[in-house]
C-alpha cells in the first residue's frame, strides 16, 4: 500500500489494528503523540524500538486514510 511497508496488520496483534512493523505499537498511538505536540526525538526516546521512518510512515498512512 503506497510504499508503507512498515505499517502492518495482523489479527493476532492488537486485534488487527494498523501497527508498526508487527510490533504492539499502533499507528494511532504514534499519530496521537505527534498530534499532541510530542517532539519526534522524545517519541524515539520513549519508544526505542521505533525509528524515524516509522513515524513518517504513520503520518503518511493517516493522511492517506483522510482522502
Amino acid at each position: 500500500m503506497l510504499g508503507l511497508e512498515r505499517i502492518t496488520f495482523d489479527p493476532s496483534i492488537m486485534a488487527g489494528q494498523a501497527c508498526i512493523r508487527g510490533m504492539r505499537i499502533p499507528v494511532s498511538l504514534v499519530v496521537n503523540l505527534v498530534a499532541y505536540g510530542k517532539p519526534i526525538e522524545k517519541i524515539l526516546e520513549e519508544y526505542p524500538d521505533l525509528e524515524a521512518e516509522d513515524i513518517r510512515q504513520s503520518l503518511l498512512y493517516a493522511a492517506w486514510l483522510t482522502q
Side-chain angles (χ1 to χ4, degrees):
M1 161 192 350
L2 308 171
L4 301 176
E5 68 280 348
R6 291 173 180 249
I7 309 301
T8 58
F9 303 87
D10 183 336
S12 65
I13 299 172
M14 302 296 289
Q17 289 184 60
C19 288
I20 305 297
R21 293 183 284 124
M23 297 185 288
R24 300 183 72 74
I25 302 175
V27 169
S28 60
L29 170 71
V30 175
V31 172
N32 273 311
L33 291 170
V34 173
Y36 282 100
K38 184 160 293 246
I40 290 173
E41 297 78 24
K42 284 286 187 192
I43 296 171
L44 295 174
E45 203 174 285
E46 291 178 15
Y47 296 89
D49 290 332
L50 284 180
E51 299 171 3
E53 182 63 13
D54 297 325
I55 296 171
R56 188 183 81 77
Q57 286 195 22
S58 294
L59 295 173
L60 285 171
Y61 177 69
W64 176 78
L65 286 177
T66 65
Q67 291 182 357

